[in-house]
Amino acid sequence: MTQPVTLSTAGSIAVIEINNPPVNALSQAVRQGLLDAVVQADADAAVTAIVILGAGRSFPAGADIKEFGQPMQDPHLPDVIDRIESCSKPVVAALHGTALGGGFEIALGSHYRIAVPSARVGLPEIHLGLIPGAGGTQRLPRLCGAAMALDIMFKGTPIRAQDALAAGLIDRLAEGDLRQAALIYAAELQTPRRTREATSGLADKAAFEAALTDAKETARSRMRGQMAPLKIVECLRACITQPFADGRLFERDCFFECLASEQSKGMIHAFFAQRASAKVPEASRAEPRPLNRLGVVGGGTMGAGITVAALNSGLPVTMIERDHDSLARGRANVEQVYDRLIAKGRMSEAQKSDIMARYQGSTQFADLSEVDMVIEAVFERLDVKRAVFEQLDKVLKPDAVLASNTSYIDIDEISSATNRREHVLGLHFFSPANIMKLLEIVVPQSAADDVVATGFALAKILGKIPVRAGNSPGFIGNRILGKYGDCAAHMMEDGATPYEIDSAIVEFGYPMGLHAMYDLAGLDIGWDNRKAAQGKRNPAERYVEIADRICERGWFGQKTGRGFYLYPDGARIGAPDPEIFILIEAERAKKSITARRFTDEEIMARYLAAMVNEACEVLREGVALKPSDIDVTFVHGYGFPRYRGGPMNYADSYGLARMLDDIRRYGQHDPIFWQASPLLIELVASGQTFNDLNKG
Ligand code: 3HC
Ligand code: NAI
């Protein structure tokens, strides 16, 4: 077995190399190896300086997240880093790839830092519900002050080596070979320089305090309900008020407090769930097809958003529209995205021109003859989509992949318009498609493995988070949304106001409530769907007409200035509408319903039980392959709070037996809606959790 850490020498310089693929995570063996190598090099009289670097693709990208949740084993990372810092000889960290979390903390504990220009450094612990726990909150502010340190820790986004250099977080950029450059640098150095003794970042006490006050406010407003941001602020206060050693100990206590929290467990679950969702059977059996040029049919909301996502990632796009006017609108929809960035000073005209050079528009399907994949985003009507696919069948090259962005339509009904059904799949983007990360990859029975693999390859190119979904109405997300949306409608008719329901949802951790979300998406979409389903519904099922009454008045949400909420003068945040109360009361009166009160707790218990129960059916039917795929769908597509891990992870912590009891209790009044899923019953009977299913 290869050693995770090796010590060698180049002349009088000791070189410590960390080799723990894929990202050199700081497992126990790495920490031990690093400590041993540092002690040995420090004691070796022939060594004048030490270089620490990572083998393979990166300097360590952090602590080994897989070890979290297990008893921590010696040596602890903060102690290893303290030992590095107390070395009697200069220590140089040589950075490439992503030096993150504990990896960046090793660099901060080293005396000097050199990086290749493509390297990125950061403290992303907040995305795991954690704080930097190996000195990061104490060393980083000593170098760059509180404002920048807080920005790095709150955003958790890695910064470029160039920016780190400008901020004094690294000392030198390495041109050419990193190891050579680090050796040359180390040879120049005479004495250690310890970050714990640095004072530049602490000098302006007033600025430091002001940054802390701002950060506390941000933590309370924009990161509401999360523990880690407030702990980071507390650690920075310790940094400015206490000696380094005390601040370091305080940080360690806070780190363990966060690590023990449900929030951190939820976020760590979300981290691994996201990586697991990209691993699908088809992609393990087949290689993706080449993807060098994309076609997009339709330049409306979705077509334009998909085009922007593709152009941004470097793919040339040919957009097809019905006629010249529509094409001009389609192009304008694309350009508008860039013009807004230019107006905000976040893009230059030259950058826009570079991007738009990859764009081509046409009204002729024949212009798609060279593309490797086409994504159709025309009106949500089967006849229109079939006509488009018939045309595509005639002009596309034989191995091109055909995809539909339909929200609900059966992909088989679309693909049967072609003579190449095995090349067809669904790619369900979320609006705005250039921003939203989720991509449901809808796999009909007939799709060839390499077609599915190409869908996943596209997701990677576009920086999307893919989830494999079966070809069932609404796929994973919209199907489950339909169910808990109905549950919310029932509660509304029974006595809860839409505003109370939204408030409970926001209190739970969502960025916005369901009705605010409906207003944002446009109430007409759901209304069209309901009208199309008329006559097909089971008359015994409960049907709430409140949303129909709202739509009949032409109130379609934000775009019409009114929906569940009022949006006076183009306001983006809605205000409660007194007329909605009257309208709801009238609907209750029609059904002789006497309104009752709902607590926030009951609202959420019902809402989530409806969500999880339908999710069980989605799993049972194989529409989702594993519970964690449903978690990924709801965290990245529907605003489910990431720190709760997703609905299935939440259900595990709520208790499946308790949830089943809730469902049975609700079912006493509405047995058709509240039919417990056989999968949930089976899991409770066998004492299993969704997480057990994730493990297979
Ligand atoms: N620990 C364990 N495994 C890790 C890991 C980590 N810190 N970081 C990545 N991995 C694993 C992934 O799970 C994945 O495994 P798989 O192939 O079995 O699915 C593999 O490494 C590759 O990861 P990605 O698919 O994410 O590869 P990318 O190239 O897209 O991204 C990355 C690489 C930017 C390093 C990204 O993986 C990442 O952001 N990792 C997490 C970094 C992080 O959060 N670090 C802080 C950890 S907490 C900490 O350090 C606490 C300290 O302060 C005490
Ligand atoms: P839209 O109405 O904004 O755009 C549709 C575009 O298709 C129009 O520009 C129209 O001119 C064009 N078009 C119609 N027939 C065409 C044809 N035969 N050839 C070329 N172009 C044609 O609609 P939107 O919202 O972009 O939706 C498109 C698809 O995406 C639908 O299937 C919808 O269900 C789906 N979708 C929509 C989401 C949303 O939030 N709007 C989210 C996810 C999917």
Side-chain angles (χ1 to χ4, degrees), residues 297-304 320-323 326 329-330 333 365 376-381 384-385 387-388 404-409 428-431 478 521 525:
V297 185
T301 311
M302 293 309 287
I320 302 290
E321 260 289 356
R322 307 183 267 178
D323 49 51
S326 307
R329 270 198 303 278
N333 287 340
F365 276 83
E376 164 277 311
V378 301
F379 302 135
E380 182 76 349
R381 274 182 33 202
V384 181
K385 293 200 188 280
V388 166
S404 172
N405 179 48
T406 178
S407 305
Y408 290 96
I409 298 174
H428 184 221
F429 289 82
F430 286 70
S431 180
N478 282 346
I525 301 179

Side-chain angles (χ1 to χ4, degrees), residues 22-23 25-26 57 61-66 68 77 98 100-103 105 120 123-125 128 130-134 252 255 271-272 275-276 279 460:
V23 297
L26 299 160
R57 60 193 249 202
D64 188 339
I65 303 169
K66 292 196 195 83
F68 292 160
L77 187 59
T98 41
L100 304 179
E105 287 172 302
R120 288 183 304 150
L123 295 173
E125 285 85 347
L128 300 172
L130 296 173
I131 65 163
R252 198 65 186 154
F255 175 81
F271 176 86
F272 286 117
R275 270 127 196 107
K279 295 184 179 120
K460 194 159 179 90

Side-chain angles (χ1 to χ4, degrees), residues 178-329:
L178 177 64
R179 175 188 286 256
Q180 275 312 315
L183 288 174
I184 292 168
Y185 188 26
E188 293 168 15
L189 297 164
Q190 308 295 326
T191 48
R193 182 194 59 180
R194 300 191 173 90
T195 309
R196 66 167 72 188
E197 288 156 12
T199 53
S200 58
L202 310 182
D204 188 345
K205 289 222 167 359
F208 204 104
E209 281 297 338
L212 285 182
T213 308
D214 284 355
K216 206 165 181 177
E217 180 50 36
T218 306
R220 290 211 169 119
S221 53
R222 284 200 285 115
M223 301 161 114
R224 187 178 40 87
Q226 293 186 45
M227 179 178 183
L230 288 169
K231 289 286 170 199
I232 288 174
V233 174
E234 283 182 38
C235 287
L236 261 75
R237 186 163 303 288
C239 172
I240 188 97
T241 55
Q242 296 182 29
F244 175 83
D246 295 349
R248 236 270 279 121
L249 286 178
F250 179 73
E251 175 199 80
R252 198 65 186 154
D253 287 347
C254 292
F255 175 81
F256 280 121
E257 218 179 304
C258 289
L259 189 60
S261 70
E262 283 302 316
Q263 293 194 354
S264 156
K265 292 191 182 98
M267 282 182 159
I268 289 172
H269 169 81
F271 176 86
F272 286 117
Q274 185 181 325
R275 270 127 196 107
S277 77
K279 295 184 179 120
V280 294
E282 292 87 352
S284 69
R285 292 194 294 256
E287 286 298 314
R289 297 180 185 176
L291 258 179
N292 297 314
R293 181 162 199 102
L294 201 67
V296 174
V297 185
T301 311
M302 293 309 287
I306 295 165
T307 300
V308 169
L311 293 174
N312 287 352
S313 59
L315 275 179
V317 178
T318 303
M319 177 188 278
I320 302 290
E321 260 289 356
R322 307 183 267 178
D323 49 51
H324 285 100
D325 285 352
S326 307
L327 185 59
R329 270 198 303 278

